[in-house]
């Protein structure tokens, strides 16, 4: 039995979980999320808890058991607390500015780069080199943060670029001059 999959998920006050066949909808104070559960996995609501079960011990069922439970738990956390991912812009002349809802980056290119937030995602800028990506969908927050980081990855020689908050960039020595 999956150690993660067999744990019931507590549904906090103010959150409603609706199960309609294979569709699981979670509604809370911050918004609403839905998930389509894969074929062999069953989801039930019992005594204010969401219980995820699998019919057999086949490899596909075992792999989807813990995944489905974690996805539903992430949705419940998302609609109550939300998710945030911090980013830092490091480098001389590198900066980020808020322009309405979108962000404008100066990352050493000949042009500035504008990033518009997708639906359900918001940006917060602190100073000119820190920003936070916020939303209720954990996957969407991580993907937007990864796409922003991809604009200029931290390079190993000077460490310049966009990095996650607290990310350690391995530095290289560079050329050895005589």
């Amino acid at each position: 039995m999956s150690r993660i999959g067999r744990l019931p998920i507590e549904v906090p006050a103010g959150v409603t979980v609706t199960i309609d066949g294979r569709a699981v909808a979670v509604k809370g104070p911050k918004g609403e999320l839905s998930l389509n559960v894969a074929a062999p996995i069953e989801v039930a609501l019992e005594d204010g808890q969401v219980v995820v079960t699998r019919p057999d011990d086949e490899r596909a069922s075992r792999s989807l058991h813990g995944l489905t439970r974690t996805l539903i738990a992430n949705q419940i956390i998302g609609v109550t607390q939300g998710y945030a991912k911090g980013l830092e812009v490091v480098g001389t002349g590198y900066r980020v500015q808020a322009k309405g809802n979108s962000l404008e980056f100066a990352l050493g290119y000949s042009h500035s780069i504008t990033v518009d937030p997708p639906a359900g995602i918001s940006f917060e800028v602190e100073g000119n080199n820190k920003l936070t990506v916020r939303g209720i969908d954990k996957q969407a927050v991580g993907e937007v943060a990864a796409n922003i980081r991809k604009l200029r990855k931290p390079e190993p020689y000077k460490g310049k670029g966009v990095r996650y908050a607290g990310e350690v960039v391995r530095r290289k020595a560079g050329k050895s001059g005589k």
Side-chain angles (χ1 to χ4, degrees), residues 5-72:
R6 70 172 173 225
L7 297 173
I9 306 165
E10 290 290 331
V11 179
V15 175
T16 58
V17 178
T18 309
I19 300 168
D20 182 29
R22 295 247 158 255
V24 177
V26 179
K27 193 172 190 177
K30 289 194 177 253
E32 185 173 358
L33 293 169
S34 62
L35 171 74
N36 287 326
V37 179
I41 305 299
E42 296 294 327
V43 180
L45 192 59
E46 301 171 0
D47 303 328
Q49 294 180 331
V50 178
V51 180
V52 180
T53 56
R54 66 176 189 233
D56 51 36
D57 279 344
E58 289 186 21
R59 188 176 190 89
S61 300
R62 288 196 324 252
S63 64
L64 290 170
H65 190 201
L67 171 72
T68 304
R69 189 253 180 221
T70 303
L71 291 174
I72 295 170

Side-chain angles (χ1 to χ4, degrees), residues 90-109:
V90 177
T92 307
Y94 289 17
R95 68 181 186 283
V96 60
Q97 293 177 321
K99 297 274 184 177
N101 288 340
S102 57
L103 299 174
E104 188 175 275
F105 288 92
L107 297 174
Y109 297 116

Side-chain angles (χ1 to χ4, degrees), residues 101-173:
N101 288 340
S102 57
L103 299 174
E104 188 175 275
F105 288 92
L107 297 174
Y109 297 116
S110 62
H111 59 284
S112 62
I113 301 169
T114 304
V115 176
D116 296 320
I121 300 293
S122 63
F123 297 129
E124 291 177 13
V125 178
E126 305 150 28
N128 62 357
N129 64 348
K130 290 187 192 301
L131 72 120
T132 307
V133 180
R134 293 191 185 279
I136 62 172
D137 187 359
K138 186 176 187 177
Q139 187 269 333
V141 168
E143 185 177 1
V144 169
N147 288 337
I148 291 173
R149 183 180 182 271
K150 210 185 297 181
L151 296 174
R152 177 74 95 171
K153 287 184 184 174
E155 53 98 12
Y157 296 102
K158 291 186 178 178
K160 293 164 55 168
V162 181
R163 62 176 79 170
Y164 296 118
E167 179 183 1
V168 177
V169 176
R170 237 176 111 219
R171 303 290 292 272
K172 290 185 175 179

